[in-house]
Amino acid sequence: MRPRSVPELRDFDLPGVAPSRQKRSRETTLALLRAGADMLRTRSLAELSIEALCAEVGATVGAFYSRFESKEAYFNALMALAARDGEQRLGEIRRPSPDTSLDQLCQIIVSGIVAWMRSHEGVLRATLQHDDTRPDKWTPFKALAQATTMRATPLLLPAMGKGRKAAKARVIAFGFQVVLGTLVNAILNDPGPLSLSSKEMETRLAGCLSLLLQAEVGQPAAK
């Protein structure tokens, strides 16, 4: 899955972002968004100065404020674009062939989640860091997490066999709670031993999800 930190130019229909019909102006907006997303990988939102951001792309501070109402509006745009990218990735998931194993399905789905989080790591971290003071900011990503579970459930259920659909759906939801919680902790705290950038993180999480689901498959049917 190709990395994509922000969408294409045509997608800048966001509150707080001034629209522009000129290609060059849209390209500057795109450059500012890309630079900010990249800079947030190594610094907090408070440490991200508008002056440094503009210097990074060769734009003036006036050019920044002609596009974004405020730094808050700029960050809101970054969050909205990250959430939109996640929604688009979900929509691209296709129903696998019937012979795809549960292990393979877990690997495919977890790899997609990790790829999205890697693409937007800095923005996600900044959002989490401000969740206590601005609890509404994490809401789009909570909705995206729920949508991910809902999208993955009908893909995973057939590979878990017939019967006990409600119980299996519940363990799928818990499995994604484990996966997403681990990834959020890695983004926010990076406690180790595995980081978000590690390929092993991806394979271990997929394995954990698969083991959880297989354990539920092995449960006896209720009498």
Side-chain angles (χ1 to χ4, degrees), residues 128-172:
L128 285 163
Q129 288 171 337
H130 288 268
D131 197 28
D132 289 339
T133 56
R134 302 183 298 178
D136 60 309
K137 295 303 178 188
W138 191 244
T139 301
F141 299 121
K142 286 181 179 178
L144 186 60
Q146 294 168 353
T148 299
T149 302
M150 291 179 62
R151 181 74 180 92
T153 297
L155 303 179
L156 291 166
L157 278 175
M160 296 176 71
K162 297 180 180 179
R164 304 179 55 253
K165 183 176 179 179
K168 290 172 181 175
R170 184 168 179 79
V171 80
I172 290 172

Side-chain angles (χ1 to χ4, degrees), residues 174-202:
F174 174 69
F176 278 100
Q177 183 178 352
V178 171
V179 168
L180 295 171
T182 301
L183 291 171
V184 164
N185 189 35
I187 288 174
L188 189 57
N189 302 310
D190 196 17
L194 304 180
S195 66
L196 183 67
S197 61
S198 169
K199 180 64 178 179
E200 189 179 353
M201 170 71 87
E202 197 174 312

Side-chain angles (χ1 to χ4, degrees), residues 2-200:
R2 63 184 176 89
R4 47 193 189 197
S5 57
V6 294
E8 300 302 321
L9 298 176
R10 65 180 182 277
D11 294 327
F12 295 146
D13 53 340
L14 299 165
V17 180
S20 175
R21 295 181 181 179
Q22 295 183 349
K23 181 181 179 182
R24 184 173 180 180
S25 179
R26 294 196 303 271
E27 287 173 343
T28 300
T29 303
L30 175 64
L32 287 166
L33 289 165
R34 282 180 170 160
D38 187 58
M39 293 169 74
L40 284 172
R41 293 179 181 275
T42 57
R43 67 195 76 187
S44 69
L45 181 61
E47 294 169 337
L48 178 65
S49 75
I50 303 305
E51 291 79 7
L53 173 64
C54 292
E56 184 73 17
V57 301
T60 65
V61 173
F64 175 90
Y65 285 108
S66 70
R67 289 163 174 79
F68 305 98
E69 295 174 357
S70 62
K71 184 178 180 181
E72 180 83 3
Y74 172 77
F75 185 55
N76 288 344
L78 284 175
M79 288 190 296
L81 290 171
R84 184 176 297 179
D85 181 41
E87 291 165 0
Q88 183 177 339
R89 289 173 188 252
L90 277 181
E92 292 172 355
I93 296 176
R94 297 292 178 260
R95 186 172 294 277
S97 61
D99 60 344
T100 306
S101 70
L102 190 56
D103 278 342
Q104 291 172 322
L105 286 171
C106 291
Q107 185 65 55
I108 292 168
I109 294 169
V110 170
S111 293
I113 294 171
V114 173
W116 172 73
M117 286 195 162
R118 285 174 181 157
S119 291
H120 304 283
E121 181 179 359
V123 175
L124 293 172
R125 182 183 299 109
T127 306
L128 285 163
Q129 288 171 337
H130 288 268
D131 197 28
D132 289 339
T133 56
R134 302 183 298 178
D136 60 309
K137 295 303 178 188
W138 191 244
T139 301
F141 299 121
K142 286 181 179 178
L144 186 60
Q146 294 168 353
T148 299
T149 302
M150 291 179 62
R151 181 74 180 92
T153 297
L155 303 179
L156 291 166
L157 278 175
M160 296 176 71
K162 297 180 180 179
R164 304 179 55 253
K165 183 176 179 179
K168 290 172 181 175
R170 184 168 179 79
V171 80
I172 290 172
F174 174 69
F176 278 100
Q177 183 178 352
V178 171
V179 168
L180 295 171
T182 301
L183 291 171
V184 164
N185 189 35
I187 288 174
L188 189 57
N189 302 310
D190 196 17
L194 304 180
S195 66
L196 183 67
S197 61
S198 169
K199 180 64 178 179
E200 189 179 353

